[in-house]
Each structure stands twice: as C-alpha cells, then as structure tokens.
Amino acid sequence: LNDNGRHLQQTLCSVFHELDQTMNHLSNQTQDQRQIKILVRSMRRRITDYIIQYSKLHPEFSFQIIFDQSAKNFQDYDIIIDDEKEHYTGYERIELFKLRLRLKCAADHPLLGQSLKLSQLANQPFVFMNTDSNTHKLLTDACRRVGFSPRTVVHCNDIDCYERFVAAGIGIGILRQDDDQGKSTHEICQLDVQDFDPAYTIYAYYSQAEYYGNVKDFLLFLKDRVKS
C-alpha cells in the first residue's frame, strides 16, 4: 500500500470497529458486565487518556486501574501494561508503543547545548524512577559500560514529581522523547548525549482465557487507537 492506501486502511479499520460495537450494543445478546482490571506499569498518562476515550464511548463498562510497580499477583488483572519482562511468560500480548529515551535536564543546566559523551556525566547527580523500572536499568547499565555508576540524589515513583525534580535542576533524568511535550520549553530540555539513544517497547499483556467480551473489546480499541 502507498501512503493513501495505508491512510484509507486505518480509517476503515476504525469505522468498522465502531460499527461492530454499535451493532453489538443494539443486539439482544447479554453484555459482558465484568469490571476491566488493569495493572498499569508504564505509559500512565497515555493509557489513562485511552481509558477516558473508551469510557465515553461505553459508559456502561467499569474499570479498576492500579498503578503499581511492585505488584506480583498478575492473575488478579485482565490486562497488564508494561515493557518486555520475562515474568509475563505464557501471556499473550499486543504491541502498543515503540519509545525512544533521552537524558533531560533543567533549562539552565551548564551542559545544555554541548555535544556530550555519556562518560562526561560521571560527576553529575541523577534523578531516577523505581529501581525495578526499565528506564533505571537501561541508564545504569549504559553508565557502567562507560566506566561509572550514576550518582542518585532522588528516587521517585510518581512521574509528575519526577519531572518537577528534573525541571528544578535537582538532577539529570531519563525521560521518553515525548514526555515533556506538554511543558514549556523553559522547564525541561534535552541533553545532546551522542552515545545514549536507547529504545524500548510497551505491550498490553493478557491471558487468553480472559480474551472475550469487554476485555477483548478494550484491547482491540487500544490496538486500533495506537495504529491510528
């Protein structure tokens, strides 16, 4: 397909999905009334936006949303949003996002605007999210490969507070490339680190046994929205 064909395909998929949902809603079949239980361990903001969109289309459905990096009882959830981890073996998954990561700092940081190597940040303070997060592992592994362990001044498990620490100049942070789009450019800026350009993928994990009714419908909704 050329660009026009791909655009038409995406539009038709969205239209047919909405048509299917309308027909199902108007049918006499008994609707799945399960509460959709979601463990969100990554992409909190974007997943929240999708749940809001879905809830407006289907106000009859309800959600239980848990934001918890330490959760272990995965069987308690219909859907898990996370990056690639070994402990989800046996789950089906849908790819949602491919993300690039950048090192970011306050707008008045003295290294801003310079072309840097990661090793030049050896004496800099860093702000980290949870120690079991993928971003923490990516950065610490990268730093150790060039000969140092990052000096952590703050660990924080809330993304909004995390960004505030970075914007205040408390330390350098690792953020997704689009994480500060809603912020003014004078708050958080990207460091030009030539040898640090990692990427990772976020998935929606689910049990095949739960892939029916409103859980299946919401997963298909996510898949359609991500494609578009």
Side-chain angles (χ1 to χ4, degrees):
L1 294 176
N2 60 23
D3 289 342
N4 288 335
R6 284 191 290 272
H7 179 69
L8 177 61
Q9 181 188 49
Q10 291 174 356
T11 302
L12 289 175
C13 286
S14 178
V15 169
F16 288 144
H17 176 75
E18 297 298 338
L19 180 60
D20 285 343
Q21 295 314 302
T22 300
M23 296 303 295
N24 287 336
H25 181 73
L26 296 175
S27 71
N28 293 324
Q29 297 178 356
T30 302
Q31 284 189 331
D32 181 5
Q33 295 298 318
R34 285 179 298 168
Q35 184 181 61
I36 304 174
K37 299 177 182 178
I38 307 178
L39 174 63
V40 182
R41 308 181 82 179
S42 189
M43 303 299 289
R44 295 183 179 189
R45 292 170 176 162
R46 200 171 299 182
I47 296 301
T48 298
D49 287 342
Y50 287 142
I51 292 171
I52 291 170
Q53 293 174 26
Y54 186 83
S55 294
K56 289 180 178 179
L57 291 171
H58 301 282
E60 69 276 16
F61 295 151
S62 63
F63 289 85
Q64 179 182 359
I65 315 300
I66 304 296
F67 301 103
D68 188 356
Q69 289 288 343
S70 63
K72 300 298 182 184
N73 298 322
F74 304 131
Q75 69 278 2
D76 293 343
Y77 304 96
D78 301 308
I79 301 169
I80 303 168
I81 309 296
D82 203 356
D83 54 58
E84 189 164 13
K85 287 188 170 66
E86 293 180 0
H87 48 239
Y88 298 131
T89 301
Y91 283 75
E92 303 293 328
R93 69 185 187 185
I94 296 172
E95 182 179 306
L96 297 181
F97 313 104
K98 283 187 178 295
L99 308 166
R100 302 209 73 82
L101 298 170
R102 296 291 185 267
L103 292 178
K104 300 194 178 184
C105 63
D108 59 353
H109 198 284
L111 294 179
L112 197 62
Q114 300 182 37
S115 180
L116 303 166
K117 295 290 187 181
L118 186 59
S119 58
Q120 293 176 260
L121 305 180
N123 295 321
Q124 295 294 322
F126 284 84
V127 179
F128 278 108
M129 291 291 285
N130 295 338
T131 56
D132 60 347
S133 69
N134 191 55
T135 55
H136 183 280
K137 183 177 187 302
L138 282 169
L139 181 54
T140 53
D141 287 351
C143 291
R144 285 167 184 161
R145 284 195 296 270
V146 297
F148 75 97
S149 294
R151 179 167 65 89
T152 306
V153 291
V154 173
H155 271 119
C156 177
N157 66 354
D158 180 88
I159 185 61
D160 291 320
C161 293
Y162 180 85
E163 289 181 349
R164 289 183 64 187
F165 285 123
V166 175
I170 302 302
I172 293 171
I174 178 172
L175 291 162
R176 293 187 291 270
Q177 191 166 21
D178 65 343
D179 258 359
D180 59 350
Q181 286 184 345
K183 293 180 172 293
S184 301
T185 55
H186 65 270
E187 290 183 302
I188 294 178
C189 297
Q190 181 175 307
L191 284 169
D192 182 14
V193 183
Q194 297 293 313
D195 55 346
F196 186 78
D197 186 29
Y200 73 116
T201 306
I202 300 298
Y203 299 93
Y205 294 88
Y206 61 95
S207 167
Q208 188 61 47
E210 302 301 322
Y211 189 64
Y212 67 92
N214 57 14
V215 172
K216 179 180 179 180
D217 185 76
F218 180 68
L219 284 166
L220 292 176
F221 173 86
L222 281 181
K223 189 175 181 180
D224 286 345
R225 285 301 184 274
V226 170
K227 282 184 177 179
S228 61

